[in-house]
Amino acid sequence: MTTRVIRKVGAGVGRAAVLGVRTGIRRTQRFPALPDLPAGRVLDLPGRGEVFVIDTGVPEGLRDAPTLLLFHGLATTSYLTWFSTVDELRDRHRVVMLDQRWHGRGIVSERFSLEDCVDDAAATLDALGIASVVAVGYSMGGALAQLFWRRHPERTAGLVLASTAACWKENLGDAMFYPVLGVANDRFRGHYRARVAEVRAGLPVVPDLGEEMSTWAWAEFRSTSAWAMPEVLGALGRFDARPWLGEIDVPTSVVVTGRDHAIPTARQRAMAAAIPGATVRETPGGHASVVFDVQRWRPEFLAAVDEVVARLG
């Protein structure tokens, strides 16, 4: 009985989320056209699993250009988070990004952990022969970028953190929500994983990049199962970088979304203030500015990347 209720709730949440994305795509006038995206491929990481990786390669004539490692946001994929900016980034940088565990074409492990995600990224760099990167993260990806520095400091030349925070559990509501979620996850994780694996198994090896914008975005969004969200949110609720933010010793730039209700702007600013020497750039939109307010968000984000790269010397 309980499982049937969970299935109905999960299916309802999934349908509502998909409808919201499609409605947003059709109604907004600022949604960018789908650019000519770089192709991805499946890469086998021994002992870890198969990951879907996009690697743009070294730009012609810019052999010394730094590599950017892009971490995507919650409930999305690498393409869906970064499609509006990757075209400009790859003109001057080598760009590497991968679908994280329980997202899109990522690894479906027994359970989701942020630590596994960043170690997957490090293993991907090993496979591609890349020594160090500027770690770039949006929302959940910002937590992963911070953790990448923490676990792989010798490979992290700089950080760009956008619409993100150092901790997801900061107020009384959070303190009540995440423990309850953790209990539910411990009980139903096997069910969640089975549904995530089912969606993953039904995906083509690589996505079709030649479709119309709304059709492509809808398919890409649906490639991440709604059943992944409780498990991933539980992991984010356990994340807390505040004890070690002050130890970050690489050039860092923070892009703040000024009207963000998903990750409150005050949390974003507090994170930036705790990182020694971090520069801050602010955009006026909300949490989905990377897609729905891209004309105002993208220039500040690209400037933040340029700031960090310039400081690499």
Side-chain angles (χ1 to χ4, degrees):
M1 178 66 177
T2 303
T3 301
R4 287 200 298 271
V5 171
I6 291 174
R7 286 179 179 175
K8 289 180 180 179
V9 171
V13 170
R15 285 193 295 269
V18 169
L19 178 60
V21 169
R22 298 201 78 177
T23 301
I25 290 170
R26 288 168 175 169
R27 289 184 178 178
T28 180
Q29 297 300 311
R30 294 190 299 271
F31 201 100
L34 185 63
D36 182 19
L37 293 172
R41 62 188 175 100
V42 174
L43 186 65
D44 181 48
L45 303 180
R48 308 191 69 81
E50 292 185 342
V51 296
F52 180 71
V53 177
I54 298 100
D55 176 13
T56 65
V58 179
E60 186 175 355
L62 297 174
R63 183 172 297 276
D64 295 328
T67 298
L68 307 181
L69 174 62
L70 307 186
F71 291 103
H72 65 73
L74 174 72
T76 67
T77 63
S78 289
Y79 276 138
L80 200 53
T81 295
W82 299 112
F83 77 91
S84 65
T85 54
V86 67
D87 207 33
E88 293 184 61
L89 291 174
R90 65 173 168 167
D91 284 344
R92 291 175 290 169
H93 311 283
R94 184 177 184 176
V95 175
V96 174
M97 51 188 183
L98 62 150
D99 285 359
Q100 304 302 330
R101 294 185 177 221
W102 288 51
H103 288 76
R105 292 165 176 79
I107 296 169
V108 184
S109 47
E110 289 301 315
R111 64 182 302 162
F112 176 90
S113 83
L114 300 178
E115 290 78 10
D116 281 340
C117 288
V118 298
D119 291 347
D120 290 341
T124 298
L125 298 183
D126 288 339
L128 297 176
I130 298 171
S132 66
V133 296
V134 173
V136 182
Y138 192 93
S139 188
M140 177 189 78
L144 291 173
Q146 293 169 67
L147 194 57
F148 187 84
W149 173 85
R150 179 69 170 172
R151 292 176 70 84
H152 305 282
E154 74 288 350
R155 310 193 78 154
T156 312
L159 293 169
V160 180
L161 309 173
S163 301
T164 193
C167 181
W168 262 247
K169 187 169 64 176
E170 290 191 354
N171 57 39
L172 180 60
D174 296 337
M176 295 174 64
F177 170 74
Y178 283 108
V180 172
L181 180 64
V183 171
N185 287 349
D186 288 341
R187 181 174 182 182
F188 298 113
R189 181 172 293 111
H191 176 75
Y192 300 159
R193 184 192 178 281
R195 296 294 171 265
V196 172
E198 183 180 357
V199 172
R200 174 68 179 85
L203 298 175
V205 176
V206 296
D208 186 351
L209 301 179
E211 298 189 76
E212 182 269 334
M213 178 68 216
S214 65
T215 302
W216 172 83
W218 182 44
E220 194 68 9
F221 180 77
R222 291 195 67 187
S223 70
T224 297
S225 171
W227 290 104
M229 294 308 99
E231 175 77 351
V232 179
L233 283 171
L236 285 170
R238 296 188 295 272
F239 173 73
D240 190 353
R242 291 173 299 180
W244 44 264
L245 275 185
E247 301 172 19
I248 291 178
D249 56 358
V250 296
T252 301
S253 187
V254 176
V255 182
V256 173
T257 29
R259 301 180 68 180
D260 198 323
H261 301 295
I263 299 180
T265 302
R267 292 190 190 182
Q268 300 179 42
R269 292 176 180 147
M271 177 195 67
I275 300 174
T279 60
V280 179
R281 307 189 74 89
E282 189 156 327
T283 64
H287 193 67
S289 291
V290 66
V291 173
F292 292 110
D293 194 24
V294 69
Q295 297 304 322
R296 294 189 295 179
W297 182 85
R298 180 168 50 197
E300 297 300 326
F301 169 72
L302 294 174
V305 173
D306 288 344
E307 285 176 355
V308 169
V309 170
R311 290 169 63 192
L312 298 182

